[in-house]
Amino acid sequence: MRTGTLELLLLEGHGLKITDFFGKSDPYAIVSCKGQEQKSSTIERGGADPKWNQSFFFTIDEEVSEVTIKVFDADKFSADDAIGTATIPLANIFHEYEKPVTSYEVVRSSGNACGELKVGLKFTPEKPEEKPDHHHHHHH
């Protein structure tokens, strides 16, 4: 079983349908991978086309088939509005190690598309340990 580090680059959102009537939205994303969750920065007034350009690192193995990215609109006065979810399949990443930035559809719970996210993937397999003292930590 191959284990390694998945680097997910959340580049930007595109055409996100925001529910806020005032049109000022502060979108952020929560990236979920096999029970691990990481939150992106919130783009103040990021609107429909927020640019995150942020990397997330997860330790994964080949049983992990996908990563989900939920996009929210940070709301100061009420619960944050969920905009939608993009699902990033990892099928080929264990063989190709890299997937250039690709657009993934953001889908509401109703199933309607509500924009897209541009996401890049990179997989770094763990090196077999030659000697016990070779514990190199991945730099973030």
Side-chain angles (χ1 to χ4, degrees):
M1 173 88 70
R2 219 176 293 193
T3 306
T5 301
L6 175 71
E7 177 184 347
L8 182 147
L9 169 65
L10 174 60
L11 189 62
E12 59 191 27
H14 197 67
L16 298 177
K17 291 197 174 64
I18 309 297
T19 48
D20 198 321
F21 295 113
F22 302 107
K24 291 187 192 66
S25 70
D26 305 327
Y28 67 89
I30 291 181
V31 185
S32 305
C33 177
K34 203 184 170 188
Q36 307 169 66
E37 279 196 347
Q38 294 182 36
K39 184 179 167 187
S40 78
S41 51
T42 299
I43 308 295
E44 294 271 327
R45 299 179 180 232
D49 304 306
K51 300 202 177 346
W52 283 286
N53 198 10
Q54 201 174 350
S55 287
F56 301 88
F57 295 86
F58 295 95
T59 300
I60 60 168
D61 58 42
E62 290 181 78
E63 287 179 351
V64 181
S65 60
E66 61 186 34
V67 175
T68 56
I69 304 179
K70 276 193 176 140
V71 184
F72 293 87
D73 181 8
D75 196 317
K76 294 176 183 66
F77 307 107
S78 63
D80 294 351
D81 294 317
I83 297 169
T85 305
T87 302
I88 319 295
L90 298 180
N92 298 325
I93 199 75
F94 298 103
H95 309 291
E96 293 166 14
Y97 297 141
E98 206 158 331
K99 185 159 172 63
V101 172
T102 306
S103 289
Y104 296 90
E105 209 168 47
V106 179
V107 182
R108 288 192 204 281
S109 46
S110 63
N112 297 336
C114 57
E116 52 187 35
L117 294 180
K118 293 200 164 159
V119 174
L121 300 172
K122 192 173 173 185
F123 177 68
T124 308
E126 257 175 25
K127 306 267 187 294
E129 299 284 352
E130 293 95 25
K131 298 194 193 73
D133 59 328
H134 274 234
H135 283 289
H136 291 303
H137 289 287
H138 293 291
H139 62 279
H140 277 212

